[in-house]
Amino acid sequence: MVALRGSGPLKLGGTMQVSVAGAESNVAIGLARLGHAVRWAGAVGDDEAGALVLRTLRAEGVEVSGAALDPGAPTGLLLFEPRLPEVTRVHYYRAGSAGSRLTADAVEDAFAAAPPRVLHLTGITPALSATARSAAARALRLARGHGSLVCLDVNFRARLWTAEEATAVLREWVPSVDVLIASDDELPLCLPDGPAARDGATGPPTTGPAAAGAAAAELDARAEALLDLGVGEVVVKRGAAGATVFGRDLPDGPLHRPATPVRAVDAVGAGDAFVAGYLSALLDGEGPAGRLERAVTTGAFAVASHGDWEGAPTRAELGMLGAPPGTVVR
Ligand code: ADP
């Protein structure tokens, strides 16, 4: 999508900055910045906005030769409205857009050149339309057939589909997923008892150590259930609290990593940056601790920078976050 970013209440008008955004594009750029070969499968309109999307991806080193140009629909649009320092509203104009009309054929093209080592999908694509859902399912099948690792970021968008609809799709996908990335409240959407489990997670508000213990036990049980269904590893994103990875082969049980402390200026895109860091380390052959370390680093870069992907680090920049305040790099 094309992204317009304002600086205050949208209804007051004013100037907006033009950029591009979208979860998968953010991950693709994050990985390309870290030096990986990345191919993007998607659709844009045959219009100037679509040209901006493809040009930006290309400029960032993302391969887009498999991208589809849809002459019958516009490129999707979203408006970012920073409403309070900590609250950004996002307004989408993508119903009927080229991206939401993605078809399975477009995905075939992206696989045609060479099968990837990793396929990254989000739970946004299947929520867009029936054809987009079949495109994502086709990509999943192709990845399985070619022996590519499958990463899924659940990214539940309540404005696009209901929890029940999401569960119906995601629980079918789960046995084919190697790396499942989600926030803790999204895990139930991937389990057979779906939203019912989700309601349990958000039950009556309780506080104190007993409640925290119960929540941790519930998270453990859900991650365990996903591992039992065949998921290779479950990575839970916890915002400023960091992230935890659950897996079968972790000698000391789930591995937690606190977030890297930064001055947060824009939380949008943190999850996608986190995924890019995690997959980058995975592609480099790092174990779970190394993957989490890079993921919290790239996640922190995203919250410390304006824009969804603009602040994504190159490999050489990864060490910058530990620098003391006032550091000048010459
Ligand atoms: P999403 O954007 O998908 O909701 P999160 O908000 O959980 O994802 O953020 C993803 C990751 O980004 C976190 O696991 C953490 O490592 C990092 N992160 C998020 N917020 C902050 C923050 N305020 N400070 C430092 N790191 C953060």
Side-chain angles (χ1 to χ4, degrees):
M1 289 170 285
V2 159
L4 301 183
R5 191 176 297 270
S7 54
L10 181 60
K11 64 186 168 212
L12 299 187
T15 54
M16 298 188 101
Q17 277 194 319
V18 188
S19 185
V20 311
E24 299 82 358
S25 312
N26 297 341
V27 173
I29 292 173
L31 277 164
R33 288 247 177 122
L34 291 167
H36 301 279
V38 191
R39 204 173 321 140
W40 182 88
V44 294
D46 190 4
D47 50 26
E48 293 305 297
L52 171 64
V53 170
L54 296 185
R55 185 179 196 270
T56 304
L57 287 169
R58 241 182 255 122
E60 290 293 334
V62 176
E63 157 72 52
V64 292
S65 58
L69 280 190
D70 183 343
T75 299
L77 168 72
L78 83 170
L79 307 179
F80 287 105
E81 180 190 19
R83 192 60 191 85
L84 290 169
E86 303 291 338
V87 182
T88 300
R89 276 200 293 226
V90 185
H91 309 272
Y92 293 93
Y93 299 82
R94 72 171 153 196
S97 69
S100 69
R101 285 166 30 129
L102 181 69
T103 63
D105 291 348
V107 172
E108 293 271 356
D109 288 350
F111 266 83
R117 283 173 66 199
V118 176
L119 167 73
H120 176 63
L121 293 171
T122 76
I124 300 170
T125 312
L128 295 173
S129 69
T131 61
R133 191 171 312 154
S134 67
R138 175 84 62 92
L140 198 62
R141 271 203 306 280
L142 284 165
R144 287 284 78 153
H146 289 292
S148 309
L149 206 85
V150 174
C151 174
L152 170 70
D153 185 349
V154 173
N155 258 331
F156 177 62
R157 296 284 187 269
R159 287 225 213 128
L160 293 176
W161 58 354
T162 64
E164 287 75 14
E165 288 168 328
T167 301
V169 171
L170 297 175
R171 72 177 169 204
E172 292 233 324
W173 288 11
V174 152
S176 303
V177 173
D178 299 294
V179 180
L180 183 92
I181 303 184
S183 50
D184 58 356
D185 62 342
E186 289 172 335
L187 293 185
L189 299 172
C190 305
L191 288 166
D193 51 358
R198 191 165 199 264
D199 292 344
T202 53
T206 43
T207 53
E218 197 166 46
L219 177 60
D220 271 6
R222 287 176 178 160
E224 203 56 42
L226 287 163
L227 297 174
D228 286 344
L229 289 170
V231 175
E233 57 199 82
V234 178
V235 186
V236 179
K237 294 177 289 185
R238 308 172 116 161
T244 306
V245 59
F246 298 82
R248 284 263 164 269
D249 308 324
L250 298 174
D252 303 316
L255 197 62
H256 179 72
R257 173 105 198 179
T260 305
V262 282
R263 185 146 60 86
V265 300
D266 178 5
V268 183
D272 304 328
F274 176 95
V275 172
Y278 197 88
L279 291 180
S280 163
L282 183 149
L283 287 164
D284 285 354
E286 295 278 351
R291 298 176 202 168
L292 269 186
E293 183 187 342
R294 197 169 304 169
V296 299
T297 304
T298 49
F301 262 94
V303 298
S305 323
H306 290 283
D308 281 29
W309 51 266
E310 284 85 341
T314 61
R315 205 165 270 255
E317 290 170 336
L318 281 172
M320 265 187 181
L321 277 181
T327 298
V328 179
V329 181
R330 292 184 205 276

mmCIF file of all heavy atoms in Angstrom, residues 179-210:
data_model
loop_
_atom_site.group_PDB
_atom_site.id
_atom_site.type_symbol
_atom_site.label_atom_id
_atom_site.label_comp_id
_atom_site.label_asym_id
_atom_site.label_seq_id
_atom_site.Cartn_x
_atom_site.Cartn_y
_atom_site.Cartn_z
ATOM 1 N N VAL A 179 7.693 -21.726 11.903
ATOM 2 C CA VAL A 179 7.927 -20.657 12.881
ATOM 3 C C VAL A 179 6.636 -19.840 12.985
ATOM 4 O O VAL A 179 6.234 -19.175 12.031
ATOM 5 C CB VAL A 179 9.079 -19.725 12.420
ATOM 6 C CG1 VAL A 179 9.320 -18.625 13.448
ATOM 7 C CG2 VAL A 179 10.355 -20.517 12.184
ATOM 8 N N LEU A 180 5.974 -19.939 14.132
ATOM 9 C CA LEU A 180 4.736 -19.189 14.329
ATOM 10 C C LEU A 180 5.044 -17.994 15.225
ATOM 11 O O LEU A 180 5.548 -18.165 16.342
ATOM 12 C CB LEU A 180 3.681 -20.072 14.999
ATOM 13 C CG LEU A 180 2.345 -19.359 15.148
ATOM 14 C CD1 LEU A 180 1.462 -19.635 13.950
ATOM 15 C CD2 LEU A 180 1.636 -19.772 16.406
ATOM 16 N N ILE A 181 4.765 -16.794 14.726
ATOM 17 C CA ILE A 181 5.049 -15.581 15.497
ATOM 18 C C ILE A 181 3.713 -14.894 15.789
ATOM 19 O O ILE A 181 2.880 -14.731 14.886
ATOM 20 C CB ILE A 181 6.002 -14.650 14.711
ATOM 21 C CG1 ILE A 181 7.296 -15.401 14.364
ATOM 22 C CG2 ILE A 181 6.304 -13.387 15.518
ATOM 23 C CD1 ILE A 181 8.378 -14.587 13.679
ATOM 24 N N ALA A 182 3.506 -14.524 17.048
ATOM 25 C CA ALA A 182 2.209 -13.950 17.432
ATOM 26 C C ALA A 182 2.360 -13.199 18.742
ATOM 27 O O ALA A 182 3.340 -13.381 19.463
ATOM 28 C CB ALA A 182 1.191 -15.078 17.621
ATOM 29 N N SER A 183 1.352 -12.363 19.057
ATOM 30 C CA SER A 183 1.273 -11.842 20.424
ATOM 31 C C SER A 183 0.490 -12.882 21.228
ATOM 32 O O SER A 183 -0.186 -13.741 20.638
ATOM 33 C CB SER A 183 0.598 -10.473 20.438
ATOM 34 O OG SER A 183 -0.605 -10.528 19.728
ATOM 35 N N ASP A 184 0.562 -12.828 22.554
ATOM 36 C CA ASP A 184 -0.023 -13.949 23.308
ATOM 37 C C ASP A 184 -1.532 -14.063 23.091
ATOM 38 O O ASP A 184 -2.066 -15.168 23.050
ATOM 39 C CB ASP A 184 0.368 -13.913 24.799
ATOM 40 C CG ASP A 184 -0.036 -12.630 25.486
ATOM 41 O OD1 ASP A 184 -0.563 -11.729 24.798
ATOM 42 O OD2 ASP A 184 0.176 -12.519 26.701
ATOM 43 N N ASP A 185 -2.232 -12.931 22.911
ATOM 44 C CA ASP A 185 -3.680 -13.037 22.729
ATOM 45 C C ASP A 185 -4.067 -13.554 21.341
ATOM 46 O O ASP A 185 -5.232 -13.816 21.078
ATOM 47 C CB ASP A 185 -4.366 -11.698 23.028
ATOM 48 C CG ASP A 185 -3.923 -10.588 22.103
ATOM 49 O OD1 ASP A 185 -2.857 -10.744 21.465
ATOM 50 O OD2 ASP A 185 -4.635 -9.572 22.007
ATOM 51 N N GLU A 186 -3.085 -13.696 20.442
ATOM 52 C CA GLU A 186 -3.405 -14.246 19.113
ATOM 53 C C GLU A 186 -3.268 -15.770 19.070
ATOM 54 O O GLU A 186 -3.745 -16.410 18.139
ATOM 55 C CB GLU A 186 -2.479 -13.636 18.048
ATOM 56 C CG GLU A 186 -2.778 -12.178 17.756
ATOM 57 C CD GLU A 186 -1.725 -11.542 16.838
ATOM 58 O OE1 GLU A 186 -0.569 -12.029 16.799
ATOM 59 O OE2 GLU A 186 -2.056 -10.548 16.178
ATOM 60 N N LEU A 187 -2.588 -16.346 20.071
ATOM 61 C CA LEU A 187 -2.349 -17.802 20.026
ATOM 62 C C LEU A 187 -3.641 -18.611 19.940
ATOM 63 O O LEU A 187 -3.718 -19.568 19.165
ATOM 64 C CB LEU A 187 -1.505 -18.255 21.226
ATOM 65 C CG LEU A 187 -0.055 -17.747 21.265
ATOM 66 C CD1 LEU A 187 0.680 -18.380 22.447
ATOM 67 C CD2 LEU A 187 0.685 -18.070 19.974
ATOM 68 N N PRO A 188 -4.678 -18.251 20.723
ATOM 69 C CA PRO A 188 -5.900 -19.059 20.646
ATOM 70 C C PRO A 188 -6.502 -19.121 19.246
ATOM 71 O O PRO A 188 -7.187 -20.084 18.913
ATOM 72 C CB PRO A 188 -6.850 -18.354 21.621
ATOM 73 C CG PRO A 188 -5.952 -17.648 22.567
ATOM 74 C CD PRO A 188 -4.770 -17.211 21.765
ATOM 75 N N LEU A 189 -6.240 -18.097 18.429
ATOM 76 C CA LEU A 189 -6.795 -18.096 17.069
ATOM 77 C C LEU A 189 -6.224 -19.231 16.225
ATOM 78 O O LEU A 189 -6.761 -19.562 15.177
ATOM 79 C CB LEU A 189 -6.493 -16.771 16.364
ATOM 80 C CG LEU A 189 -7.063 -15.517 17.010
ATOM 81 C CD1 LEU A 189 -6.510 -14.280 16.312
ATOM 82 C CD2 LEU A 189 -8.578 -15.539 16.915
ATOM 83 N N CYS A 190 -5.109 -19.787 16.674
ATOM 84 C CA CYS A 190 -4.450 -20.846 15.901
ATOM 85 C C CYS A 190 -4.776 -22.225 16.442
ATOM 86 O O CYS A 190 -4.298 -23.228 15.928
ATOM 87 C CB CYS A 190 -2.934 -20.644 15.941
ATOM 88 S SG CYS A 190 -2.430 -19.035 15.392
ATOM 89 N N LEU A 191 -5.560 -22.277 17.508
ATOM 90 C CA LEU A 191 -5.839 -23.568 18.160
ATOM 91 C C LEU A 191 -7.244 -24.048 17.801
ATOM 92 O O LEU A 191 -8.129 -23.237 17.510
ATOM 93 C CB LEU A 191 -5.705 -23.402 19.674
ATOM 94 C CG LEU A 191 -4.261 -23.230 20.149
ATOM 95 C CD1 LEU A 191 -4.199 -22.743 21.587
ATOM 96 C CD2 LEU A 191 -3.495 -24.545 19.989
ATOM 97 N N PRO A 192 -7.458 -25.360 17.852
ATOM 98 C CA PRO A 192 -8.746 -25.910 17.424
ATOM 99 C C PRO A 192 -9.940 -25.323 18.165
ATOM 100 O O PRO A 192 -10.994 -25.122 17.572
ATOM 101 C CB PRO A 192 -8.600 -27.407 17.713
ATOM 102 C CG PRO A 192 -7.142 -27.660 17.678
ATOM 103 C CD PRO A 192 -6.482 -26.399 18.169
ATOM 104 N N ASP A 193 -9.783 -25.015 19.480
ATOM 105 C CA ASP A 193 -10.952 -24.450 20.173
ATOM 106 C C ASP A 193 -11.042 -22.939 20.028
ATOM 107 O O ASP A 193 -11.933 -22.306 20.551
ATOM 108 C CB ASP A 193 -10.991 -24.874 21.653
ATOM 109 C CG ASP A 193 -9.667 -24.593 22.352
ATOM 110 O OD1 ASP A 193 -8.736 -24.120 21.677
ATOM 111 O OD2 ASP A 193 -9.573 -24.843 23.562
ATOM 112 N N GLY A 194 -10.127 -22.370 19.254
ATOM 113 C CA GLY A 194 -10.171 -21.002 18.751
ATOM 114 C C GLY A 194 -10.626 -19.924 19.699
ATOM 115 O O GLY A 194 -10.128 -19.824 20.831
ATOM 116 N N PRO A 195 -11.587 -19.092 19.223
ATOM 117 C CA PRO A 195 -11.966 -17.906 19.981
ATOM 118 C C PRO A 195 -12.446 -18.224 21.396
ATOM 119 O O PRO A 195 -12.330 -17.400 22.275
ATOM 120 C CB PRO A 195 -13.088 -17.292 19.158
ATOM 121 C CG PRO A 195 -12.910 -17.862 17.799
ATOM 122 C CD PRO A 195 -12.299 -19.209 17.963
ATOM 123 N N ALA A 196 -12.956 -19.435 21.621
ATOM 124 C CA ALA A 196 -13.396 -19.779 22.971
ATOM 125 C C ALA A 196 -12.217 -19.663 23.923
ATOM 126 O O ALA A 196 -12.296 -19.043 24.983
ATOM 127 C CB ALA A 196 -13.939 -21.196 22.998
ATOM 128 N N ALA A 197 -11.065 -20.195 23.477
ATOM 129 C CA ALA A 197 -9.859 -20.096 24.293
ATOM 130 C C ALA A 197 -9.462 -18.639 24.444
ATOM 131 O O ALA A 197 -8.981 -18.203 25.475
ATOM 132 C CB ALA A 197 -8.732 -20.880 23.633
ATOM 133 N N ARG A 198 -9.705 -17.878 23.370
ATOM 134 C CA ARG A 198 -9.353 -16.460 23.387
ATOM 135 C C ARG A 198 -10.164 -15.729 24.464
ATOM 136 O O ARG A 198 -9.644 -14.921 25.220
ATOM 137 C CB ARG A 198 -9.658 -15.884 22.013
ATOM 138 C CG ARG A 198 -9.110 -14.519 21.803
ATOM 139 C CD ARG A 198 -9.148 -14.214 20.321
ATOM 140 N NE ARG A 198 -8.239 -13.125 20.049
ATOM 141 C CZ ARG A 198 -8.612 -11.864 19.974
ATOM 142 N NH1 ARG A 198 -9.863 -11.551 20.156
ATOM 143 N NH2 ARG A 198 -7.731 -10.916 19.727
ATOM 144 N N ASP A 199 -11.479 -16.049 24.526
ATOM 145 C CA ASP A 199 -12.310 -15.400 25.534
ATOM 146 C C ASP A 199 -11.771 -15.708 26.924
ATOM 147 O O ASP A 199 -11.742 -14.868 27.794
ATOM 148 C CB ASP A 199 -13.760 -15.888 25.444
ATOM 149 C CG ASP A 199 -14.384 -15.401 24.144
ATOM 150 O OD1 ASP A 199 -13.801 -14.484 23.541
ATOM 151 O OD2 ASP A 199 -15.409 -15.959 23.741
ATOM 152 N N GLY A 200 -11.320 -16.935 27.108
ATOM 153 C CA GLY A 200 -10.763 -17.324 28.399
ATOM 154 C C GLY A 200 -9.578 -16.457 28.757
ATOM 155 O O GLY A 200 -9.421 -16.032 29.886
ATOM 156 N N ALA A 201 -8.765 -16.139 27.729
ATOM 157 C CA ALA A 201 -7.553 -15.365 27.976
ATOM 158 C C ALA A 201 -7.876 -13.946 28.426
ATOM 159 O O ALA A 201 -7.095 -13.323 29.123
ATOM 160 C CB ALA A 201 -6.710 -15.318 26.714
ATOM 161 N N THR A 202 -9.025 -13.445 27.988
ATOM 162 C CA THR A 202 -9.335 -12.056 28.329
ATOM 163 C C THR A 202 -10.445 -12.018 29.385
ATOM 164 O O THR A 202 -11.178 -11.058 29.473
ATOM 165 C CB THR A 202 -9.780 -11.292 27.076
ATOM 166 O OG1 THR A 202 -10.834 -12.033 26.468
ATOM 167 C CG2 THR A 202 -8.649 -11.110 26.095
ATOM 168 N N GLY A 203 -10.573 -13.093 30.142
ATOM 169 C CA GLY A 203 -11.642 -13.223 31.143
ATOM 170 C C GLY A 203 -11.662 -12.116 32.177
ATOM 171 O O GLY A 203 -11.183 -11.023 31.921
ATOM 172 N N PRO A 204 -12.235 -12.368 33.341
ATOM 173 C CA PRO A 204 -12.384 -11.304 34.336
ATOM 174 C C PRO A 204 -11.033 -10.728 34.726
ATOM 175 O O PRO A 204 -10.074 -11.482 34.915
ATOM 176 C CB PRO A 204 -13.034 -12.022 35.527
ATOM 177 C CG PRO A 204 -13.156 -13.455 35.163
ATOM 178 C CD PRO A 204 -12.691 -13.659 33.767
ATOM 179 N N PRO A 205 -10.907 -9.412 34.803
ATOM 180 C CA PRO A 205 -9.603 -8.837 35.129
ATOM 181 C C PRO A 205 -9.168 -9.226 36.537
ATOM 182 O O PRO A 205 -9.935 -9.109 37.482
ATOM 183 C CB PRO A 205 -9.840 -7.323 35.023
ATOM 184 C CG PRO A 205 -11.308 -7.131 35.041
ATOM 185 C CD PRO A 205 -11.955 -8.409 34.623
ATOM 186 N N THR A 206 -7.958 -9.742 36.637
ATOM 187 C CA THR A 206 -7.393 -10.084 37.939
ATOM 188 C C THR A 206 -5.974 -9.549 37.944
ATOM 189 O O THR A 206 -5.351 -9.418 36.902
ATOM 190 C CB THR A 206 -7.365 -11.608 38.152
ATOM 191 O OG1 THR A 206 -6.920 -12.209 36.958
ATOM 192 C CG2 THR A 206 -8.718 -12.173 38.534
ATOM 193 N N THR A 207 -5.488 -9.238 39.111
ATOM 194 C CA THR A 207 -4.122 -8.717 39.210
ATOM 195 C C THR A 207 -3.370 -9.479 40.283
ATOM 196 O O THR A 207 -3.957 -10.305 40.974
ATOM 197 C CB THR A 207 -4.127 -7.213 39.575
ATOM 198 O OG1 THR A 207 -4.928 -7.069 40.727
ATOM 199 C CG2 THR A 207 -4.654 -6.349 38.449
ATOM 200 N N GLY A 208 -2.090 -9.176 40.394
ATOM 201 C CA GLY A 208 -1.292 -9.798 41.448
ATOM 202 C C GLY A 208 -0.524 -10.999 40.940
ATOM 203 O O GLY A 208 -0.741 -11.455 39.815
ATOM 204 N N PRO A 209 0.385 -11.522 41.796
ATOM 205 C CA PRO A 209 1.270 -12.608 41.379
ATOM 206 C C PRO A 209 0.513 -13.866 40.965
ATOM 207 O O PRO A 209 0.903 -14.547 40.026
ATOM 208 C CB PRO A 209 2.122 -12.870 42.627
ATOM 209 C CG PRO A 209 1.913 -11.710 43.540
ATOM 210 C CD PRO A 209 0.653 -11.044 43.144
ATOM 211 N N ALA A 210 -0.613 -14.173 41.648
ATOM 212 C CA ALA A 210 -1.355 -15.393 41.308
ATOM 213 C C ALA A 210 -1.889 -15.283 39.886
ATOM 214 O O ALA A 210 -1.792 -16.222 39.088
ATOM 215 C CB ALA A 210 -2.499 -15.601 42.285
#
